[in-house]
Structure formats: C-alpha cells, structure tokens
Amino acid sequence: MKLSGKVAAITGAARGIGKACAKRFLDDGVKVVISDVDAEGLAKAAAELGHPEALRTVVGNVAKRADVDQLVATAVKEFGRLDIMVNNAGVARNRDILEISEDEFDEIIGINLKGAFFGVQAAAKQMIAQGGGGVIINMSSVNALLAIPALATYAMSKGGMKQLTSVAAVALAPHNIRVVAVGPGTILTDMVASSIYTSEDARKTVMSRTPAGRGGEPSEVASVVAFLASDDASYITGQTIYPDGGRLILNYTVPVKDK
Ligand SMILES: NC(=O)c1ccc[n+]([C@@H]2O[C@H](COP(=O)([O-])OP(=O)(O)OC[C@H]3O[C@@H](n4cnc5c(N)ncnc54)[C@H](O)[C@@H]3O)[C@@H](O)[C@H]2O)c1
C-alpha cells in the first residue's frame, strides 16, 4: 500500500489499460478520478470498479484543454489535491501512409500527443500550486521507437510523447515533479482487437516479434504504472519504461548463406 492516500487522475479509463490502472490504484488505496470521452462506458466502468468512496468520474475529450482542466479541477474539488496524473487516452488507426487525410492526422495527434500535453500542463500547474511534488505518467508505446508502416500517425504521436516526457521532466524537476512514460508492447485490449489483430496473420506477425509468446494483460501495464507512481521510482524521471514481452530487444535474424 505504498500509494495509500494519494490522489490520481486517469484519462481514457472507461476500458482497457486506463481502467486497469484505476483498478490497481483503488486496490492500493488511492483516490481516483477517471475520465473518458465515452460517457456510457465510463459509467459502466465506475460501476464495475466499485469503491464509490474513492472514485469519481468526469466525461471529457482530452483533445480539448478545458476538458482536461476539468478533470484536474474535479480531483481537487473531490479529494483536495492531485498527486498522480496518468495521460492514458489514445487511439490508433490502421492506414496506408499515403491515404492519411489532414483531418485524421489532426485527430490522432490531437488526442494522443496534444491531449497528453494538456494533461502534463494541467497536472503540473496544480502540483506546483500545492507546493510541488507529484508524478505524471504518459501512456506511450513501443511505437515510440518502432516503425510499423500501417500505424504512421500513431507512431508519430508516440514518438512525440517520448520528447514530451523528456522535456517536461527537465522543466518540472525543480518542482520535484517526475514525468515518466510507459511504452507497452501488445496488450490485449479493444484497441488491439480493432487496429492490430485485424487478421489471424496479423496476430501471428505480432507474436513472431514477441519473445514472451503472448499478448500482455492490462494489469501488467498497471503494475508498472503503480511502481512509477510510487517512491520506489523516486530517482526515475524523463524515461520511458517498456513492458513489451521482449519486443524491443529482439534482433534475431535467420542465418543467410548467400550474401
Ligand atoms: N493495447 C495496446 O497494445 C497498447 C500498446 C501500447 C500503448 N497503448 C496505449 O495505451 C493507451 C490505452 O490503450 P488501450 O489499449 O487501453 O485502448 P482502448 O481503446 O481499449 O481504450 C482507450 C480509451 O480511451 C478513450 N478515448 C479515446 N479517445 C479519447 C479522447 N479523445 N478523450 C478521452 N478518452 C478517449 C476510449 O473511449 C477508451 O475508453 C493508449 O494511449 C494506447 O495508445 C496500448
């Protein structure tokens, strides 16, 4: 119960990784405000998560600054402060790079990168106002480093998030605020079902690049988030930690006789 009594806000928490982070925090004694653009899903998630004394919801779109500000304001109004911000909301579109429209580019970058930037700003302003300290965690991806051609907008957004994390960590270090990112590999959520596992072949391709031989569970990302949010990670800032089943370190090549 290293996080007991802390106050956290999580975006995109109606399902998947965000919801798993909310569950982990609630189990660890954290007071949590969850937000999502999907009002119905958010209400359902809140009912499933339980802990009504320690859980609040706010419907909001992270691409709108006012909605992200509202999330932080709710944490302060309901629980008096904000210690942990998890900028988790994100979307992926599977598309040939030549077919990406300006609207789609703006949509993905607006949610994944601009939304996280709004979250960093809103959380940091509150943390500084309450005397400093706190942890901001951005939900990145192995796609911050990997280049998968069908996920160009997604990769650009997560690549940008890597630098958002680094630059914010340096800027906010004087206020004792740590800024870190978590970059999962393939985690078994609705996002993967709709955008990554688009066919059995696609699933097999991902598995052929995953030494662990299986997709990850959302709880296996939430446990990394809980560690980074805790004082056990007190000397980690500016880094992205990758729970990816060995995906990024894999550099296996089949021996080739003729060069
Ligand atoms: N699942 C994976 O394999 C994987 C891997 C690496 C990174 N991630 C990242 O983890 C995060 C969560 O992904 P997930 O797999 O749980 O996805 P998911 O699709 O299951 O859940 C995403 C949630 O974000 C919400 N959301 C979407 N747009 C929003 C917006 N504009 N404002 C507020 N909420 C919004 C959705 O309604 C949904 O509840 C994302 O940032 C994603 O990029 C996921």
Side-chain angles (χ1 to χ4, degrees), residues 11-18 35-38 60-63 87-92 111-112 139-143 154 158 161 182-192 196:
T11 65
R15 63 181 195 219
I17 292 171
S35 138
D36 205 287
V37 74
D38 170 9
N61 177 356
V62 293
N87 296 309
N88 167 77
V91 287
I111 296 171
N112 295 6
M139 196 55 67
S140 182
S141 165
V142 288
N143 287 278
Y154 188 72
K158 299 300 187 181
M161 182 179 262
V182 177
T186 301
I187 308 300
L188 302 171
T189 67
D190 289 355
M191 174 185 280
V192 163
I196 314 290

Side-chain angles (χ1 to χ4, degrees), residues 160-175:
M161 182 179 262
K162 186 223 157 291
Q163 281 299 77
L164 167 63
T165 302
S166 300
V167 82
V170 175
L172 298 172
H175 301 286

